[in-house]
Amino acid sequence: MDSPLQLFRELLPFGQLSADQKSAAAVRGLLDTVAGLSPQESVAKLASSVLPSVNQQSNLHMRFKLLEDIRHETEQALPTMEASIAQAVLPLPLDATTAALHADNLLKGLAISYAGIARSINKSQLNDALSHLYHRSVQRAMAMIARRQLLAYRAYATPSATSWQTLHELYQMVRGPQTKPLNGETAPIEHEYLGALLFAYLEPSKFPRAELETINICSRQLAAYATVGEVPPEIGSSKTTDSCFLVKPDEGTPGYPLTRLPSSTSVFGSLLIDCTQVLAALDRNITRRPGKTVEPDLDATPAMLQCLRVAIGGKSARRFSRTRFRPRGDVVSGFDQVISFLDGNTFSRRSVDASSRYDGRGFSSSEWALIDESPDGFLLRFIKGDKRNMGSGDIVALQPRESSKIHVCLVRRISSSQVRLEVGLQLMSPQVSVVDIVAEEQPEQRAIFLHSLPAYGKFSGLIAAPGTYRQGQKIMIKLPGRSLHRQIGTCMEANEGLEFFALDLLPD
């Protein structure tokens, strides 16, 4: 290992100056060859050719400067690839998988290179002398890891255990044995660390991919209100455990809610992430009046803010235990396709019913294995069939094989990897009908009428195309042999594919 004196010589303008200059010129020459390439070609070349050359630079200041040049070049290409991955169908096709691997390799390589500078300084015990370079390198490494994790979430994949272990290691390198919160030059590092943890606690797999960028921005704003510290001895009797998380730095996870931690679990060497003030910040945004400014000012819908609050507040535990079984079923997703499937295709899979099946198929289906079932939902695993741009919040119709029963559900969680795709579904209502809706000054519209909503309350619901109805609007629901008069109530959920309303009874 180089001595501290040798390291200083490498940082000063003498000694190996000529060799360092040649190395830097070679890297910049490689960077020039990236111009004009497609985003994927650019990212692939940066990861395979340019980045390895930078790591050969012995001067740490020059190495950091070259990494910054690569990072700037990365920003010209990576956003386009990230957007295409977020919009790709699931499971990811080969071209999207290849793009994701190239992007992941580059972000991983940048994180390793920045972390390498910090580790070199730390090993040489020059943390104080090279404080600015040390802290900037740690922060950049954390930012690359967090972006790599976001890339995984864009495909509903789980971030690697190694990424979490590295994130914890970098934070502890700066934090050291002290228990005081970081401040001054080190505050951005703690903010970066808490932002990554908080984003994981908000359970990205439960949201549509189109909303992940908004949630990521919210997590960065809310990170300023979270605190990290040692686990106090009286943690078991604390009144704030509902919004606290336990991080075990040696484990490759972001941590666990204290409310779900087994009582016998050791907390030695762990960190406590207290999100009490995060909840308060969310409450200020949820309850604020129109035109009133609050801090932080979160650019998110009330429905999304409420979902974030549920995730942080520890109130999203499953209400029913699941039963494991292994039948198969067919799934149709998307508002228009589900209506087409329900409207004339709700027959069983028995051969005697084939003559009754509607032939004008306005939908395509895929085959899934039913892994788990509970009274209000299912866990499915993709087998084969039509790939769709499915996201959390989408509506699907599930028909188990050899059954005439069709379950209308909303996608609540997605988990994707290179070997399998799984989705968690919430069953909306035991009885569902495709209906025509009559409203004043509007043509008749097709919608999905939910006769009851056990998970929400003693009222019925309506799933319609987005922008079709507004709260307080009076409607008539045409059912076979009768009509119902209702009023559009609270919008329970909305996304780019549907709006889900509660229906209120009209006063007599």
Side-chain angles (χ1 to χ4, degrees), residues 22 66 194 407 448 466:
K22 289 180 179 179
L66 292 172
L194 289 171
H407 306 282
I448 299 173

Side-chain angles (χ1 to χ4, degrees), residues 28 47 58 86 142 216 220 228 269 271 317 342 359 397 449 457 481:
R28 292 195 170 99
S58 60
M142 283 185 165
N216 185 46
R220 302 293 153 172
V228 54
L271 296 174
L342 293 173
D359 291 328
F449 177 57

Side-chain angles (χ1 to χ4, degrees), residues 52-69:
S53 300
V54 172
N55 294 330
Q56 298 172 11
Q57 171 65 245
S58 60
N59 185 300
L60 297 184
H61 277 296
M62 181 60 72
R63 193 192 305 177
F64 183 87
K65 177 65 171 66
L66 292 172
L67 286 175
E68 290 290 272
D69 291 342

Side-chain angles (χ1 to χ4, degrees), residues 115 118-119 122 134-135 137-139 141-142 145 163-183 186-197 226-230 247 249 269-273:
R119 291 191 182 103
N122 193 45
Y134 179 59
H135 293 134
S137 297
V138 171
Q139 185 187 356
M142 283 185 165
I145 292 170
S163 70
W164 287 116
Q165 289 169 337
T166 306
L167 203 67
H168 299 321
E169 177 205 350
L170 290 169
Y171 176 71
Q172 290 194 309
M173 277 173 53
V174 177
R175 183 180 176 85
Q178 299 86 7
T179 58
K180 295 180 181 180
L182 303 185
N183 53 59
T186 58
I189 294 173
E190 186 162 277
H191 189 273
E192 194 72 52
Y193 182 63
L194 289 171
L197 294 178
T227 60
V228 54
E230 305 299 320
V247 172
S270 300
L271 296 174
L272 181 69
I273 312 299

Side-chain angles (χ1 to χ4, degrees), residues 213-254:
E213 191 62 43
T214 299
I215 296 169
N216 185 46
I217 294 171
C218 287
S219 70
R220 302 293 153 172
Q221 293 176 271
L222 292 169
Y225 298 85
T227 60
V228 54
E230 305 299 320
V231 182
E234 67 280 3
I235 188 61
S237 58
S238 174
K239 296 181 180 180
T240 61
T241 55
D242 280 355
S243 54
C244 290
F245 298 79
L246 190 76
V247 172
K248 291 179 172 291
D250 294 336
E251 296 183 0
T253 70

Side-chain angles (χ1 to χ4, degrees), residues 181-327:
L182 303 185
N183 53 59
E185 196 175 42
T186 58
I189 294 173
E190 186 162 277
H191 189 273
E192 194 72 52
Y193 182 63
L194 289 171
L197 294 178
L198 198 57
F199 186 54
Y201 300 157
L202 294 175
E203 302 182 274
S205 64
K206 290 187 175 181
F207 291 89
R209 288 188 287 175
E211 296 179 356
L212 290 186
E213 191 62 43
T214 299
I215 296 169
N216 185 46
I217 294 171
C218 287
S219 70
R220 302 293 153 172
Q221 293 176 271
L222 292 169
Y225 298 85
T227 60
V228 54
E230 305 299 320
V231 182
E234 67 280 3
I235 188 61
S237 58
S238 174
K239 296 181 180 180
T240 61
T241 55
D242 280 355
S243 54
C244 290
F245 298 79
L246 190 76
V247 172
K248 291 179 172 291
D250 294 336
E251 296 183 0
T253 70
Y256 312 91
L258 280 180
T259 53
R260 301 183 193 176
L261 205 66
S263 57
S264 59
T265 302
S266 171
V267 297
F268 179 77
S270 300
L271 296 174
L272 181 69
I273 312 299
D274 190 341
C275 297
T276 304
Q277 293 306 312
V278 173
L279 283 184
L282 285 167
D283 287 338
R284 288 195 295 274
N285 279 267
I286 292 171
T287 60
R288 70 170 166 180
R289 298 173 182 174
K292 184 179 179 181
T293 303
V294 297
E295 288 294 336
D297 186 1
L298 302 176
D299 186 16
T301 64
M304 180 187 290
L305 291 172
Q306 188 60 46
C307 290
L308 301 185
R309 195 194 191 287
V310 169
I312 294 296
K315 302 299 184 183
S316 59
R318 184 179 294 141
R319 297 184 301 132
F320 301 104
S321 60
R322 291 195 179 276
T323 302
R324 292 188 172 275
F325 66 130
R326 289 293 187 275

